[in-house]
Amino acid sequence: LPLPLAVARHRWLSVALEATCAVFFVWVVSGWINGDTDSQGDEPVLTVLTYNLGDGLATPEALVPYLRNSGADVIGLVEVTPHVADALASQLGNEYPYQEVRGLGIPGKGLLSRYPIVDAEWLELNPGRPDLRATLDVSGTRVTVFVVHPPPPHLTSTGIQPRRGTEEQFDRLIDLFAQTEGPLLVVGDFNVTPLHDRYHQLESLGLVDVFGAVGEGPGFTVPAAISTDAGPQATPHTFALPPLMRIDYIWVSPEWQPHEAWVGEGAGSDHLPVLGTVSLGS
């Protein structure tokens, strides 16, 4: 090529190369900055599990592997026996290093978490049936968690009536939920169906029933099984049943966004567990 054309071509190639490098640099830096911003803005998605263990029907041999494989980040348990409480502490410490558990049988409750439990308080709202209130540190956000289990009603000569202390316990729980500031997560066996006035009271607080919002199907959790005892020397037998009612719930405050919810297979209890995924923010 003549010298002027060769020089012009060389300059054109240099300009093109410099422009390409500049565009590539801007693309890389922009992607890095945007990616860093997005990662900071992403809220963790929590899988929450609530399960009534049936006062020992869900044995440690079945329960521990079930919880280990559940993928749950936060687990609320009711009707925790001393035997189960010991197994949770000794066998699930790696998966759930943060635990607050009381093995009391039917009044027993527990919270297992992958997130730090900042504080925990056992509330004697109904004598002999303590409810649990705890605070979790979820990636820097304080989250209040309640694990509750008001007693079921019983049959009397005048019909089905609440047990002594149940109404007062429920009233005080409602007040505590209403007074809680910031993200709230409430799990447990409420012994009420979606047709009950108490269910509508919880809704009136602005709480969202996660399964009711994003679950599919009826979501029945009880009775999942019945246990027969043939005598003091005989081994009890448990028979599976098709559940007919929904009384186990995951409730969240408006700070949470529910994504999905489902009823799990469980580990032998007369209840089935409820699981849901939620995240903070919209």
Side-chain angles (χ1 to χ4, degrees), residues 2 18 79 95 116 126 138 151 160 176 178 190-191 204 232 249-250 262 272:
E18 290 174 2
E79 297 199 12
E95 292 83 357
N126 188 351
V138 178
I160 298 176
L176 289 171
F190 285 73
N191 277 307
S204 70
Y249 300 94
I250 300 169
W262 63 99
L272 294 177

Side-chain angles (χ1 to χ4, degrees), residues 22-99:
V23 170
F24 180 77
F25 177 79
V26 170
W27 176 75
V28 170
V29 172
S30 175
W32 175 75
I33 293 175
N34 290 336
D36 185 64
T37 301
D38 290 343
S39 66
Q40 289 179 356
D42 285 347
E43 297 290 351
V45 177
L46 274 64
T47 298
V48 181
L49 184 154
T50 183
Y51 195 13
N52 182 323
L53 304 182
D55 191 24
L57 290 179
T59 65
E61 293 74 19
L63 178 65
V64 167
Y66 174 75
L67 296 180
R68 180 178 288 130
N69 296 324
S70 68
D73 302 295
V74 178
I75 298 174
L77 304 173
V78 303
E79 297 199 12
V80 181
T81 65
H83 188 38
V84 166
D86 291 342
L88 297 175
S90 63
Q91 300 181 45
L92 286 177
N94 290 332
E95 292 83 357
Y96 299 99
Y98 308 102
Q99 300 189 18

Side-chain angles (χ1 to χ4, degrees), residues 50-54 76-79 106 108-109 129 131 146-153 166 169-170 173 186-193 202 221-222 245-251 269-272 274:
T50 183
Y51 195 13
N52 182 323
L53 304 182
L77 304 173
V78 303
E79 297 199 12
I106 289 177
K109 295 175 184 68
R129 294 186 71 97
D131 296 302
F146 282 84
V147 183
V148 305
H149 185 204
T166 302
Q169 179 183 7
F170 230 121
L173 284 171
V186 184
V187 300
D189 172 3
F190 285 73
N191 277 307
V192 298
T193 74
L202 293 166
T221 57
V222 291
M245 292 187 296
R246 184 160 81 93
I247 61 175
D248 301 275
Y249 300 94
I250 300 169
W251 291 90
S269 173
D270 56 348
H271 289 240
L272 294 177
V274 179

Side-chain angles (χ1 to χ4, degrees), residues 206-230:
L207 297 180
V208 176
D209 166 11
V210 173
F211 187 92
V214 296
E216 295 184 1
F220 294 157
T221 57
V222 291
I226 187 171
S227 180
T228 61
D229 190 348

Side-chain angles (χ1 to χ4, degrees), residues 35-47 73 115 136-143 183 254-259 277-282:
D36 185 64
T37 301
D38 290 343
S39 66
Q40 289 179 356
D42 285 347
E43 297 290 351
V45 177
L46 274 64
T47 298
D73 302 295
Y115 294 94
L136 302 183
D137 182 347
V138 178
S139 301
T141 298
R142 296 294 178 97
V143 172
E255 290 89 349
W256 297 95
Q257 174 65 42
H259 297 291
T277 60
V278 296
S279 62
L280 287 168
S282 57

